[in-house]
């Protein structure tokens, strides 16, 4: 059995009594219950104050050489021609049938350098695909273990960075290369929680020092370290997809409600023809939000039924919302059934039928901007 990989902050998580689990082949903190956190407390800290996440398991890839921007733009869905150096972009890596191999953040450093951040479990496949298509003169470099990634999320996130003399007055999806303690760190106004926040990318060897400073500042704002359990409840409240559940090689962006991340007018990107055809014909299923109106916690792959008992589809993500104090789910529902927001449905939860209502996403208003 392959040993899981570990973040540069692994020992810090153990010191905090974190519950660790495998996530994309990495041993990562799920929650910090032993140090007074826990998923609900950590979730609430991010919504109301400040949370600090280790997301160093995310992939890091550089594409360098003349024409790198144009090359990456022929691979991934979003249009890199629409942003300037110093900006980041959410994008998708699709297969020939339009399914999603991975969802990625791309950082445009210059016309000759693009920094990609894929998900941990898919990083090797994204690198393989990009490297197989790369033209002469452009280099693809796997830097998965060269950098750590620390997400600072919540209403107090700008104040926390200001206390450390780090850039914080950035436009949404803009990034700056700065320094902390004389060492380089890249800071981007983004995140996966729906709150104002930042992702900081120090070198692997500098991650512990930056983490220590951030967690100390967080405590002064009644914030705390947060694990991937809270990250999941936060992102689900926003309707943000998790690859492998809400996006996958079998789930297209048209079905998942991610068409906004596709540069439809671009002449080339992987999966373009299949996605254009699906958009023109209309998808057979579409992502919807469901809020339970009875007690219950939905999970992925639960059947969704109409009021008449007709099978409509299945849930892809589900959790208890600490903000709403209700069960919520994302679900792929058959478009032919004509389900719209406000319709009553039910979910089969552990052998019983639980009432729910279809809602527009997000479940909780976003404050990311």
């Amino acid at each position: 059995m392959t040993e899981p990989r570990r973040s540069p902050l692994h020992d810090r998580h153990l010191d905090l009594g974190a519950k660790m689990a495998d996530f994309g082949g990495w041993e990562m903190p799920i929650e910090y219950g032993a140090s007074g956190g826990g998923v609900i407390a950590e979730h609430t800290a991010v919504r109301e104050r400040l949370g600090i996440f280790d997301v160093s398991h995310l992939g890091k890839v550089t594409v360098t050489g003349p024409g790198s921007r144009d090359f990456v733009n022929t691979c991934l869905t979003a249009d890199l021609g629409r942003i300037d150096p110093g900006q980041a972009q959410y994008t998708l890596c699709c297969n020939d049938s339009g399914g999603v191999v991975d969802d990625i953040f791309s950082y445009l450093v210059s016309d000759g350098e693009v920094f990609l951040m894929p998900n941990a479990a898919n990083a090797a496949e994204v690198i393989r695909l990009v490297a197989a298509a790369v033209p002469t003169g452009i280099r693809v470099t796997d830097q998965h273990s060269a950098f750590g990634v620390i997400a600072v999320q919540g209403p107090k996130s700008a104040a926390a960075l200001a206390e450390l003399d780090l850039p914080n007055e950035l436009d949404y999806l803009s990034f700056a290369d700065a320094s902390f303690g004389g060492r380089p760190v890249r800071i981007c106004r983004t995140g996966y929680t729906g709150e104002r926040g930042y992702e900081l990318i120090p070198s692997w060897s500098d991650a512990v020092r930056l983490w220590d400073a951030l967690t100390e500042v967080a405590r002064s704002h009644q914030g705390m370290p947060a694990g991937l359990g809270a990250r999941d409840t936060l992102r689900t409240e926003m309707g943000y997809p998790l690859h492998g559940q809400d996006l996958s090689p079998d789930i297209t962006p048209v079905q998942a409600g991610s068409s906004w991340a596709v540069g439809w007018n671009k002449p080339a990107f992987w999966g373009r023809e299949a996605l254009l055809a699906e958009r023109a014909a209309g998808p057979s299923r579409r992502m919807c939000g469901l809020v339970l109106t009875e007690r219950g916690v939905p999970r992925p792959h639960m059947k969704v039924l109409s009021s008449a008992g007709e099978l409509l589809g299945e849930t892809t993500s589900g959790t208890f919302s600490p903000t709403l104090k209700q069960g919520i789910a994302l679900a792929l529902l058959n478009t032919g059934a004509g389900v719209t927001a406000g319709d009553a449905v039910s979910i089969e939860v552990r052998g019983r039928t639980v009432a729910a209502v279809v809602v527009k996403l997000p479940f909780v208003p976003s404050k990311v901007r």
Side-chain angles (χ1 to χ4, degrees):
M1 181 180 293
T2 303
E3 289 292 321
R5 300 173 75 172
R6 290 177 172 175
S7 150
L9 303 172
H10 182 79
D11 289 345
R12 288 294 189 265
H13 303 318
L14 297 184
D15 291 343
L16 289 167
K19 177 183 177 181
M20 308 294 287
D22 178 82
F23 199 92
W26 289 68
E27 189 176 3
M28 299 298 293
I30 302 302
E31 60 176 311
Y32 297 91
S35 55
V39 171
I40 292 179
E42 293 163 19
H43 177 112
T44 303
V46 174
R47 286 278 179 255
E48 298 180 356
R49 301 176 302 278
L50 183 64
I52 311 296
F53 298 83
D54 177 15
V55 287
S56 298
H57 62 303
L58 294 174
K60 307 98 186 173
V61 185
T62 56
V63 183
T64 53
S68 289
R69 182 219 287 248
D70 291 341
F71 162 65
V72 173
N73 209 25
T74 66
C75 302
L76 308 180
T77 61
D79 190 352
L80 271 174
R82 299 189 65 180
I83 65 172
D84 297 319
Q87 293 181 306
Q89 186 180 68
Y90 178 79
T91 189
L92 305 167
C93 175
C94 289
N95 57 30
D96 288 343
S97 60
V100 180
V101 175
D102 200 21
D103 59 337
I104 298 169
F105 263 99
S106 57
Y107 290 59
L108 181 61
V109 181
S110 68
D111 286 341
E113 182 176 351
V114 181
F115 181 77
L116 303 176
M117 195 178 293
N119 287 294
N122 302 323
E125 179 63 7
V126 170
I127 292 169
R128 186 190 71 79
L129 290 170
V130 174
V134 74
T136 301
I138 293 178
R139 182 179 180 184
V140 178
T141 306
D142 181 358
Q143 296 192 302
H144 209 150
S145 296
F147 299 100
V149 186
I150 302 171
V152 182
Q153 300 284 298
K156 300 291 186 181
S157 57
L161 265 62
E163 288 187 35
L164 298 178
D165 295 321
L166 293 170
N168 57 89
E169 294 299 327
L170 299 169
D171 291 335
Y172 182 56
L173 292 180
S174 292
F175 68 90
D177 289 329
S179 64
F180 176 74
R183 299 287 297 165
V185 58
R186 178 166 288 168
I187 302 169
C188 187
R189 262 288 314 278
T190 186
Y192 196 46
T193 66
E195 297 296 329
R196 182 185 178 100
Y198 308 81
E199 290 187 341
L200 283 62
I201 309 173
S203 71
W204 190 270
S205 60
D206 295 330
V208 168
R209 180 171 54 172
L210 182 58
W211 171 267
D212 288 347
L214 289 166
T215 53
E216 184 65 28
V217 168
R219 292 187 188 97
S220 71
H221 290 283
Q222 291 74 54
M224 60 182 67
L228 298 185
R231 183 174 161 93
D232 189 62
T233 56
L234 289 158
R235 70 93 190 167
T236 305
E237 289 186 345
M238 290 299 108
Y240 293 161
L242 176 65
H243 191 274
Q245 292 181 192
D246 315 298
L247 292 168
S248 77
D250 298 317
I251 302 174
T252 72
V254 178
Q255 297 165 17
S258 299
S259 291
W260 59 270
V262 179
W264 294 105
N265 294 325
K266 292 200 307 180
F269 58 86
W270 295 337
R272 179 177 181 270
E273 298 309 316
L275 290 174
L276 285 170
E278 183 179 38
R279 185 175 70 153
S284 61
R285 55 185 184 169
R286 193 181 298 278
M287 191 70 68
C288 298
L290 306 178
V291 174
L292 272 63
T293 54
E294 297 179 329
R295 289 176 61 87
V297 179
R299 298 299 183 195
H301 305 300
M302 291 181 170
K303 294 179 181 179
V304 181
L305 308 173
S306 72
S307 56
E310 174 192 7
L311 179 64
L312 299 175
E314 70 171 20
T315 58
T316 55
S317 284
T319 191
F320 173 78
S321 164
T323 304
L324 300 178
K325 307 295 192 293
Q326 292 173 284
I328 59 174
L330 300 176
L332 279 173
L333 303 184
N334 301 328
T335 54
V339 176
T340 60
D343 286 352
V345 297
S346 61
I347 305 174
E348 288 191 356
V349 180
R350 297 183 180 88
R352 67 187 182 96
T353 301
V354 179
V357 62
V358 179
V359 299
K360 291 184 178 180
L361 298 171
F363 298 101
V364 174
S366 174
K367 293 173 279 184
V368 70
R369 296 180 186 273

